[in-house]
């Protein structure tokens, strides 16, 4: 018994195939090569456990990897399947004739309830050896238990439901604790909540199941021999511990919802399938007299939990008079039916028997029961002499084919997405199905994903006159081609272009389909600009141009030209046909700055106003400097209209776009000087009077104004250049007041102001003599006095600050002197604040705050908080101190010169110690700044975190 479950007799399930069947090798219609070198392993793999029971196995239960079986009359064997070599055998100690009727093991594998034929129940917890009686349960033959999966734990079951042979449903709770002095029973309470009947008589409660749905809604499923009952109700949040009696009370006034079948085989059994741990079941299967009722569980429905139900009727070899089904187990896609001598596996998708296996009852005895561990998913079958285990692997292997035959293609694709040859078959079947149902576009999308012959599918859509579906097929095929398949890409691109142009021509001719025309044109243009096929379009652009030209599609030809950056083809075409407005429309539509720079000279000659309008609309997207060559050309030899438009654009650049480029401002100046002199002076005045504000070339402006004789403009430029003498001289030729204003400009240069005054007085006629004003120190008297007062006030403030600093220094010296005379008393029992050992055993420090530290303890506390610089300095000082200490430990008496040297070394040693004290003992480590600065530091050094964490594991 010590080696249970460690070996398996699975040789009967392994088949050796040494040759390859010719029927298994071939090339399918899809082009996939399907070669099976060996038979696939079966989905259901039976393994016999190497276990010989000392007595007959009467009952067995498995849950959460905990296996419990009753042997003979009075023996219970418990096995933790994680430790199969450590079985635990317990004697029930029954002296009467009572036998085990049923075993019930909760989902955690911790609570075992043993129902006896004497209408008694005993309880055994996983962590104890003691079998305890459930006294409140006495007098009832227990047939089923509905465990509480939500709040059940290893020590307490929480409220559970118990079904009896007399149709009564009780609510109970079991606790593994020993209880109090007055209540040592594990059963906390046992009260009736409902009763079930069949044909007006009590009927045994064969199965009970409790599930929680949405919004605190609970579903209770109970079965008798012919009926399946459902109870639906809500429990208030947090009241789950109070039990399920309120759910039955909510259904008391209504007839319970149930389904009934006519045939009674004396018992029934219901099983559920849960896809994930701690999730609600998704499907169910109920074995009863008429067959197996199976379907989905829908927790959203208000009244019934069951949906999409159907009945699988027993096959002809199942005779309820002689060969009854014993147990049922539900998996994801199958339910397993246990018969006395074999197991049948039925697919829930199509109701077909997919597997049947005999168990040779003459060797092992009749099959007794089949159980599924809801946690691990393993299926267990036992006879009186043997235990078998079923491994279910790759159950969904052939599900895709069943879904495909049911025309559920999405599900079929989901279950074969990692098997390309199967996925291809599903897609081909789906494509054909859609084609037969005239869903041509969907069919085309599916066909494009298959490996079916391209020509065959294309002809199929051509014969059906489905150009849109053919186009969709070609697009999908083109998307799936690799970049290296250039010939195929060229073929499909050309073909699709022709199909798009045909379709656009048809839609354009129909006024009622303009919306569809625009959608198709947008789709076609997206196709033309596809980055993936850009190289193909470029290499075959002449072919595409020919196709576009043959259909007379100028708009799309222009669009394609822009994509190919072949702008000359369209714009030159318009210019050659003197359609300059159309050429400008193309430019404006695509807003290509390089295109503007290239064709603006030609267009400016013929439609200057429209061109300038387009430039203005482009705004900052055009660089005015790149347009100057064309502007200069036509401003010199063009008409006045062209010149005015040139000035308009330059003004837009300067005043609207705020262009600061010198070339633009200089060009505008030249235009003003030649063609619009009235605007010249205004421009110069508003441009600013400081050199930093000027964006034109001052020397160029001066030369330009001088050439055209604009003296006042020249004076303005001289003033900006701060050439005041030249400005005054030139202003005298224009206006005396202007000259006066120029003479007063050099405010900061008194010498120049004096020079300009007499100079102009001498040179001017008598009536223009300028009156000079004597300047004396009296003009500055008030300012000088104010300054002297401010200096005196500042000197007084400084004197007061010096006195305060002297007084502060005096107080500091007194404090230092007082500190030198301070002392502290250290008692013999004082201890180090860090290590808590006696303080006087080693050198120590005493701080004013009262904390005392050993020298080495303080050093250990302070070092982690020091900067890298101070740590290095401290290490260097410690090395020097050690070196001086070694020097003083001489065994011989020093000579006179050595004594002198030693004295110097002693002084140096004291200095080193003082330096060390300044670093580590400048303040108390617990009360000073170091402690404050350490607040935001982690307790564990981030660099040592992983090492520290691993040490705790």
């Amino acid at each position: 018994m010590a080696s249970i479950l460690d070996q398996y007799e699975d040789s009967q399930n392994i088949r050796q195939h040494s040759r390859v069947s010719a029927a298994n090798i071939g090339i399918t219609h899809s082009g996939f090569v399907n070669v099976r070198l060996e038979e696939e392993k079966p989905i259901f793999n039976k393994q016999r456990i190497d276990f010989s029971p000392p007595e007959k196995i009467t009952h067995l239960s498995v849950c959460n990897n905990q296996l419990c079986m009753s042997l003979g009359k009075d023996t219970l064997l418990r096995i933790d399947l994680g430790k199969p070599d450590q079985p635990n055998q317990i004697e029930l100690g029954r002296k009467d004739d009572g036998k085990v009727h049923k075993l019930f093991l909760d989902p955690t594998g911790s609570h075992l309830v043993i129902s006896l034929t004497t209408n008694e129940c005993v309880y055994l917890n996983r962590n104890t050896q003691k079998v305890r009686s459930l006294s409140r349960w006495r007098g009832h033959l227990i047939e089923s238990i509905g465990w509480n999966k939500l709040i059940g734990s290893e020590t307490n079951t929480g409220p559970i439901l118990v079904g009896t042979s007399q149709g009564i449903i009780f609510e109970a709770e079991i606790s593994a604790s020993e209880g109090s002095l007055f209540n040592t029973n594990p059963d906390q309470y046992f009260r009736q909540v409902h009763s079930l009947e069949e044909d007006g008589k009590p009927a045994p409660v064969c199965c009970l199941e409790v599930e929680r749905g949405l919004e605190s809604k609970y579903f209770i499923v109970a079965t008798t021999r012919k009926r399946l009952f459902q109870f639906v109700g809500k429990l208030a949040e947090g009241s789950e511990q109070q039990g399920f009696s309120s759910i039955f009370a909510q259904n008391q006034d209504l007839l319970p919802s149930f389904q009934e079948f006519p045939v009674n085989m004396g018992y029934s059994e219901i099983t559920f399938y849960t896809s994930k741990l701690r999730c609600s079941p998704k499907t169910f299967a109920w074995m009863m007299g008429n067959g197996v009722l199976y379907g989905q569980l829908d927790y959203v429905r208000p009244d019934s939990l069951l949906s999409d139900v159907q009945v699988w009727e027993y096959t002809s070899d199942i005779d309820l008079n002689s060969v009854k089904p014993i147990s049922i187990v539900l998996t994801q896609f199958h339910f397993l039916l246990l018969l006395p001598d074999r197991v049948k596996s039925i697919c829930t998708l199509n109701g077909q028997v997919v597997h049947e296996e005999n168990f040779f009852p003459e060797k092992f005895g009749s099959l007794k029961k089949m159980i599924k561990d809801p946690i691990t998913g393993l299926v267990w079958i036992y006879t009186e002499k043997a235990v078998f285990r079923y491994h279910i692997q790759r159950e969904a292997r052939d599900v895709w084919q069943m879904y495909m035959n049911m025309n559920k293609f999405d599900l079929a694709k989901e279950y074969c997405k990692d098997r390309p040859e199967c996925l291809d078959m599903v897609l081909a079947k789906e494509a054909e199905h859609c084609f037969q149902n005239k869903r041509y576009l969907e069919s085309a999308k599916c066909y494009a994903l298959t490996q079916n012959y391209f020509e065959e599918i294309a002809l199929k859509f051509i014969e059906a006159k489905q150009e849109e579906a053919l186009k969709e097929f070609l697009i999908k095929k083109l998307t799936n081609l690799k970049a290296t398949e250039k010939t195929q890409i060229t073929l499909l691109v050309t073909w699709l272009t022709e199909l798009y142009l045909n379709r656009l021509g048809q839609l354009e001719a129909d006024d009622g389909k303009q919306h569809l025309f625009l959608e198709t044109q947008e789709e076609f243009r997206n196709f033309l600009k596809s980055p993936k096929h850009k190289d193909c379009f470029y290499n075959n652009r002449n072919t595409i141009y020919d196709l576009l030209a043959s259909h007379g599609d100028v708009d799309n030809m222009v669009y394609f030209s822009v994509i190919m950056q072949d702008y000359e083809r369209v714009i030159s075409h318009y210019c050659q046909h003197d359609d300059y407005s159309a050429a400008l429309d193309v430019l404006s539509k695509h807003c290509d700055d390089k295109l503007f720079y290239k064709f603006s000279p030609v267009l400016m000659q013929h439609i200057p106003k429209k061109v300038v309008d387009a430039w203005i609309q482009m705004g900052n997207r055009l660089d005015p400097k790149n347009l100057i060559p064309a502007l200069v050309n036509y401003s010199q030899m063009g008409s006045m209209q062209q010149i005015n438009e040139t000035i308009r654009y330059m003004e837009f650049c300067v005043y609207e776009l705020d262009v600061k480029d010198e070339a633009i401002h200089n060009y505008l100046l030249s235009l003003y000087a030649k063609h619009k002199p009235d605007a010249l002076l205004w421009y110069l005045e508003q441009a600013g009077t400081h050199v930093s504000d000027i964006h034109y070339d001052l020397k160029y402006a001066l030369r330009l104004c001088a050439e055209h004789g604009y003296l006042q403009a020249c004076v303005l430029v001289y003033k900006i250049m701060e050439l005041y003498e030249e400005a005054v001289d030139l202003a005298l030729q224009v206006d005396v007041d202007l000259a006066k204003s120029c003479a007063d400009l050099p405010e900061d240069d008194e010498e120049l102001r004096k020079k300009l005054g007499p100079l102009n007085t001498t040179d001017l006629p008598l009536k223009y003599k300028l009156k000079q004003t004597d300047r004396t120190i009296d003009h500055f008297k008030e300012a000088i006095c104010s300054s002297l007062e401010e200096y005196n006030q500042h000197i007084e403030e400084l004197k007061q600050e010096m006195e305060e600093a002297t007084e502060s220094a005096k107080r500091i010296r007194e404090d230092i002197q007082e500190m030198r005379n301070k002392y502290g008393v250290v008692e013999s029992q004082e201890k180090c604040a860090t290590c808590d050992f006696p303080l006087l055993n080693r050198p120590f420090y005493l701080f004013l705050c009262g904390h005392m530290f050993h020298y080495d303890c303080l050093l250990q506390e302070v070092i982690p908080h020091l900067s890298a610089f101070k740590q290095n300095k401290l290490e260097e000082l410690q090395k020097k101190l050690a070196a001086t200490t070694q020097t003083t430990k001489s065994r011989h008496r020093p000579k006179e010169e050595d004594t002198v040297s030693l004295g110097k070394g002693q002084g140096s040693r004291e200095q080193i110690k003082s330096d060390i004290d300044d670093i580590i003992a400048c303040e108390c480590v617990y009360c000073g700044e170091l402690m404050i600065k350490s607040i935001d530091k982690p307790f564990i050094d981030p660099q040592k975190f992983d090492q520290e964490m691993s040490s705790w594991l």
Side-chain angles (χ1 to χ4, degrees):
M1 191 178 298
S3 61
I4 185 171
L5 301 182
D6 54 1
Q7 293 182 357
Y8 302 97
E9 296 179 0
D10 56 355
S11 59
Q12 59 182 334
N13 295 315
I14 301 175
R15 302 178 181 178
Q16 301 294 334
H17 295 270
S18 59
R19 62 189 181 87
V20 179
S21 172
N24 288 335
I25 303 178
I27 300 178
T28 64
H29 72 286
S30 65
F32 279 102
V33 179
N34 182 16
V35 181
R36 294 188 178 183
L37 299 179
E38 61 178 359
E39 185 175 313
E40 291 180 321
K41 293 183 179 180
I43 295 175
F44 303 97
N45 183 20
K46 181 187 73 176
Q47 299 169 331
R48 185 192 167 202
I49 307 304
D50 183 20
F51 169 63
S52 299
E55 298 181 74
K56 291 182 179 180
I57 302 174
T58 59
H59 295 85
L60 184 144
S61 184
V62 182
C63 205
N64 198 21
N65 239 14
Q66 302 297 314
L67 184 146
C68 300
M69 65 175 74
S70 63
L71 304 175
K73 173 187 175 184
D74 206 39
T75 302
L76 187 69
L77 183 66
R78 295 189 299 182
I79 301 170
D80 184 346
L81 297 178
K83 304 172 184 177
D85 55 344
Q86 300 176 17
N88 176 240
Q89 184 171 318
I90 299 174
E91 301 297 329
L92 296 180
R94 305 292 299 183
K95 297 181 180 180
D96 51 25
D97 295 334
K99 298 179 181 179
V100 175
H101 175 61
K102 282 187 177 182
L103 298 179
F104 303 99
L105 190 60
D106 82 307
T108 68
S110 303
H111 307 282
L112 177 65
V113 175
I114 306 166
S115 174
L116 304 175
T117 56
T118 55
N119 291 354
E120 293 178 278
C121 285
V122 293
Y123 167 74
L124 180 63
N125 188 266
R126 175 181 175 180
N127 300 318
T128 64
Q129 298 285 106
K130 182 180 179 181
V131 179
R132 304 168 67 187
S133 174
L134 301 175
S135 58
R136 292 186 175 89
W137 299 33
R138 189 176 292 117
H140 301 282
L141 184 62
I142 305 304
E143 293 288 347
S144 58
I145 293 180
W147 297 103
N148 195 324
K149 303 171 188 175
L150 294 175
I151 61 175
S153 64
E154 293 186 2
T155 58
N156 192 290
T157 63
I160 60 175
L161 296 177
V162 181
T164 70
S165 59
Q166 295 301 311
I168 303 174
I169 299 177
F170 290 90
E171 185 179 79
E173 184 174 356
I174 302 174
S175 175
S177 61
E178 292 295 333
S180 63
L181 178 64
F182 302 101
N183 182 18
T184 59
N185 295 328
D187 46 335
Q188 304 297 299
Y189 62 88
F190 191 73
R191 55 173 175 259
Q192 181 178 344
V193 293
H194 201 73
S195 60
L196 302 179
E197 294 182 350
E198 281 183 0
D199 302 327
K201 298 178 182 179
V205 183
C206 300
C207 296
L208 278 170
E209 182 76 15
V210 181
E211 294 297 340
R212 178 176 177 173
L214 303 174
E215 299 177 352
S216 301
K217 185 183 291 186
Y218 281 79
F219 298 85
I220 298 174
V221 177
T223 65
T224 59
R225 294 164 298 192
K226 301 191 302 180
R227 291 182 176 181
L228 187 151
F229 294 85
Q230 296 182 69
F231 302 91
V232 182
K234 283 190 175 183
L235 292 180
E237 286 291 340
S239 64
E240 293 85 355
Q241 192 64 44
Q242 299 178 9
F244 307 105
S245 57
S246 61
I247 296 178
F248 291 100
Q250 295 173 31
N251 292 267
Q252 190 112 23
D253 299 335
L254 304 172
L255 291 175
S257 173
F258 67 87
Q259 290 183 282
E260 183 175 13
F261 291 86
V263 179
N264 181 356
M265 66 176 183
Y267 56 87
S268 71
E269 183 175 338
I270 193 168
T271 180
F272 299 87
Y273 170 73
T274 304
S275 58
K276 295 180 181 178
L277 191 63
R278 297 190 179 278
C279 290
S280 300
K282 302 297 182 184
T283 54
F284 78 98
W286 179 39
M287 180 189 73
M288 39 78 185
N290 286 78
V292 177
L293 178 74
Y294 64 97
Q296 307 291 320
L297 297 178
D298 187 352
Y299 296 92
V300 179
R301 297 179 65 182
D303 52 348
S304 176
L305 184 63
L306 313 181
S307 68
D308 299 332
V309 296
Q310 49 189 317
V311 176
W312 181 81
E313 296 182 356
Y314 295 128
T315 54
S316 58
D317 58 334
I318 300 177
D319 184 5
L320 297 184
N321 295 322
S322 57
V323 184
K324 292 183 180 181
I326 302 171
S327 292
I328 187 171
V329 160
L330 182 63
T331 65
Q332 185 178 6
F333 297 107
H334 303 83
F335 59 82
L336 279 64
L337 207 60
L338 183 72
L339 300 170
D341 59 346
R342 62 191 182 277
V343 172
K344 282 179 176 287
S345 301
I346 296 93
C347 178
T348 56
L349 299 178
N350 55 17
Q352 299 296 316
V353 178
V354 297
H355 179 76
E356 187 168 346
E357 188 166 9
N358 291 316
F359 275 75
F360 308 105
E362 62 276 3
K363 181 178 180 180
F364 303 111
S366 298
L367 301 177
K368 303 281 288 182
K369 191 78 172 177
M370 177 169 57
I371 308 101
K372 179 185 175 184
D373 187 337
I375 307 301
T376 64
L378 295 176
V379 177
W380 299 79
I381 299 174
Y382 70 94
T383 68
E384 292 180 346
K385 302 177 182 179
V387 178
F388 300 89
R389 184 166 68 178
Y390 260 103
H391 277 281
I392 303 174
Q393 53 189 2
R394 296 188 64 196
E395 185 181 3
R397 184 179 65 200
D398 300 323
V399 167
W400 66 271
Q401 196 165 7
M402 299 176 191
Y403 278 129
M404 181 182 71
N405 294 333
M406 297 163 64
N407 293 336
K408 295 182 178 181
F409 300 110
D410 290 338
L411 290 171
K413 287 183 281 190
E414 180 67 24
Y415 286 99
C416 67
K417 57 186 177 184
D418 56 343
R419 300 170 66 183
E421 71 282 358
C422 302
L423 181 61
D424 190 75
M425 294 175 64
V426 174
L427 289 168
K429 180 73 178 294
E430 182 181 9
E432 185 61 29
H433 175 76
C434 293
F435 192 92
Q436 296 298 330
N437 287 276
K438 301 187 183 304
R439 291 154 47 196
Y440 297 111
L441 285 177
E442 296 176 46
S443 175
K445 293 177 182 179
C446 293
Y447 268 131
L449 298 174
T450 68
Q451 297 296 318
N452 289 31
Y453 295 118
F454 173 84
E455 300 85 351
E456 178 184 338
I457 300 170
L459 287 172
K460 195 180 187 76
F461 287 115
I462 291 173
E463 291 173 357
K465 297 182 179 179
Q466 294 297 321
E467 282 196 5
E468 282 296 302
L470 176 61
K471 183 184 70 176
E472 187 68 30
F473 171 69
L474 296 179
I475 290 173
K476 293 294 183 183
K477 272 294 182 184
L478 181 61
T479 304
N480 296 330
L481 288 176
K482 299 177 182 178
T484 54
E485 300 174 301
K486 295 183 179 180
T487 304
Q488 293 90 328
I489 292 174
T490 302
L491 171 66
L492 293 181
V493 163
T494 308
W495 195 351
L496 280 167
T497 302
E498 179 66 25
L499 289 176
Y500 270 118
L501 292 173
N502 284 337
R503 181 62 174 162
L504 287 171
Q506 295 170 2
L507 295 174
E508 190 175 17
D510 191 341
D511 294 335
K513 296 183 178 180
Q514 285 302 304
H515 179 69
L516 186 57
F517 168 78
L518 295 175
E519 287 184 355
T520 307
Q521 177 158 277
E522 182 66 23
E523 183 182 337
F524 176 48
R525 291 185 172 183
N526 290 334
F527 169 69
L528 291 176
K529 68 180 181 182
S530 170
K532 186 176 181 181
H533 310 119
K534 182 178 180 180
D535 291 341
C536 177
F537 278 117
Y538 186 79
N539 295 330
N540 299 277
R541 60 187 181 279
N542 290 329
T543 303
I544 304 298
Y545 280 131
D546 291 341
L547 287 173
L548 292 166
S550 67
H551 285 267
D553 195 339
V554 178
D555 290 340
N556 284 319
M557 184 172 68
V558 171
Y559 186 84
F560 183 68
S561 300
V562 173
I563 295 173
M564 295 293 105
Q565 297 182 354
D566 192 5
Y567 306 119
E568 284 188 66
R569 180 180 294 270
V570 176
I571 300 175
S572 297
H573 169 77
Y574 286 134
C575 291
Q576 288 169 5
H577 291 80
D578 298 333
D579 194 353
Y580 302 107
S581 296
L584 182 60
D585 289 341
V586 174
L587 282 171
S588 302
K589 184 176 182 180
H590 298 292
C591 300
D592 191 322
D593 55 341
K594 295 179 182 179
L595 200 60
F596 270 100
Y597 304 146
K598 186 173 183 178
F599 289 97
S600 286
V602 176
L603 298 176
M604 190 67 181
Q605 184 179 3
H606 298 91
I607 48 173
K609 186 179 185 308
K610 290 185 178 179
V611 172
V612 171
D613 288 341
W615 289 350
I616 292 175
Q617 189 174 3
M618 287 287 289
N620 284 321
R621 287 173 287 182
L622 290 179
D623 186 352
K625 286 192 301 184
N626 294 332
L627 296 172
I628 286 179
L631 294 172
V632 170
N633 185 30
Y634 293 109
S635 66
Q636 292 175 352
M637 55 180 290
S639 64
M640 197 60 201
Q641 182 188 7
Q642 293 167 342
I643 293 170
N644 289 335
E645 293 302 326
T646 301
I647 293 175
R648 182 163 72 95
Y649 180 66
M650 288 292 99
E651 288 177 340
F652 170 77
C653 294
V654 170
Y655 302 129
E656 298 294 332
L657 300 182
D658 195 22
V659 174
K660 295 179 172 56
D661 191 274
E662 188 177 271
I664 299 299
H665 285 264
N666 288 344
Y667 183 46
L668 182 58
L669 267 175
S670 68
L671 290 173
Y672 281 154
K674 295 176 183 178
H675 306 290
K676 204 173 181 181
D678 295 340
L680 177 62
L681 188 59
W682 177 84
Y683 167 78
L684 293 173
E685 289 174 346
Q686 64 83 36
T689 58
H690 196 274
V691 175
S692 61
D693 300 330
I694 304 302
H695 302 300
Y696 55 85
D697 187 342
L698 288 167
K699 294 180 181 179
Y700 174 75
L702 185 60
R703 185 173 65 250
L704 195 65
C705 294
E707 287 177 358
H708 291 81
Y710 303 137
L711 298 182
Q712 191 171 354
C714 290
V715 171
L716 182 59
V717 175
Y718 275 133
K719 287 163 58 177
I720 297 172
M721 298 172 70
E722 297 183 357
L723 298 174
Y724 301 117
E725 291 187 44
E726 290 83 351
V728 169
D729 291 342
L730 192 59
L732 290 173
Q733 302 177 30
V734 180
D735 182 62
V736 175
D737 292 334
L738 179 61
K740 287 181 180 181
S741 64
C742 293
D744 290 334
L745 285 176
E747 297 177 357
D748 298 333
D749 193 341
E750 185 65 25
E751 184 178 351
L752 181 59
R753 285 174 60 87
K754 292 179 179 180
K755 181 180 178 182
L756 290 177
L759 174 67
N760 293 322
T761 304
T762 304
D763 294 341
L764 286 174
L766 181 61
K767 60 178 179 178
Y768 297 131
K769 293 292 184 179
L770 296 176
K771 184 177 179 182
Q772 302 298 316
T773 303
D774 294 334
R775 301 176 181 270
T776 65
I777 196 170
D778 292 337
H779 292 102
F780 308 102
K781 181 178 179 180
E782 184 177 350
I784 292 172
C785 291
S786 176
S787 261
L788 289 174
E789 288 177 2
E790 290 179 1
Y791 284 131
N792 286 335
Q793 184 178 355
H794 183 58
I795 289 170
E796 289 298 326
E797 291 176 355
L798 289 176
K799 187 185 295 184
Q800 184 178 353
E801 289 178 4
M802 291 173 64
E803 291 175 356
E804 290 176 355
T806 302
E807 183 66 25
S808 178
K810 180 181 177 182
R811 286 198 299 270
I812 290 172
R813 282 194 297 271
E814 291 174 355
D815 290 344
I816 292 173
Q817 188 64 34
E818 185 181 351
M819 288 292 293
R820 288 178 179 174
N821 298 327
K822 280 197 174 183
Y823 64 92
V825 178
V826 179
E827 302 291 342
S828 59
Q829 68 271 17
E830 293 290 352
K831 295 182 180 180
C832 175
T834 300
C835 65
D836 206 32
F837 279 92
L839 189 69
L840 299 179
N841 289 350
R842 304 198 299 274
F844 64 90
Y845 287 94
L846 170 63
F847 291 93
L848 291 177
C849 60
H851 285 118
M852 292 170 273
F853 303 90
H854 287 128
Y855 168 77
D856 53 340
C857 294
L858 181 62
L859 192 66
Q860 187 176 358
E861 286 287 330
V862 171
I863 285 178
H865 300 284
L866 296 177
S867 63
F869 172 76
K870 287 192 174 182
Q871 288 184 7
N872 294 334
K873 184 177 180 180
L874 179 61
E875 184 178 356
E876 183 181 347
L877 289 171
Q878 288 176 324
K879 290 180 180 178
K880 289 182 179 179
L881 181 63
T884 57
T885 303
Q886 189 67 28
T887 305
T888 59
K889 291 183 178 179
S890 176
R891 297 183 179 180
H892 303 287
R893 186 173 181 176
K895 298 178 183 179
E896 185 177 354
E897 59 271 18
D898 293 337
T899 304
V900 176
S901 175
L902 185 61
K904 294 180 180 177
Q906 186 70 18
S908 176
R909 185 168 179 269
E910 291 302 323
Q911 181 61 42
I912 293 172
K913 291 177 67 177
S914 176
D915 292 342
I916 292 176
D917 289 345
D918 289 342
I919 295 176
I920 68 171
C922 62
E923 61 180 359
C924 176
V925 70
Y926 286 173
C927 302
E929 287 187 13
L930 290 179
M931 181 58 66
I932 297 173
K933 291 178 179 179
S934 67
I935 289 176
D936 59 347
K937 289 186 178 181
F939 290 109
I940 300 175
D941 189 348
Q943 297 179 353
K944 300 180 180 179
F945 181 80
D946 294 338
Q947 178 183 353
E948 182 70 21
M949 187 172 67
S950 61
S951 67
W952 283 80
L953 299 178

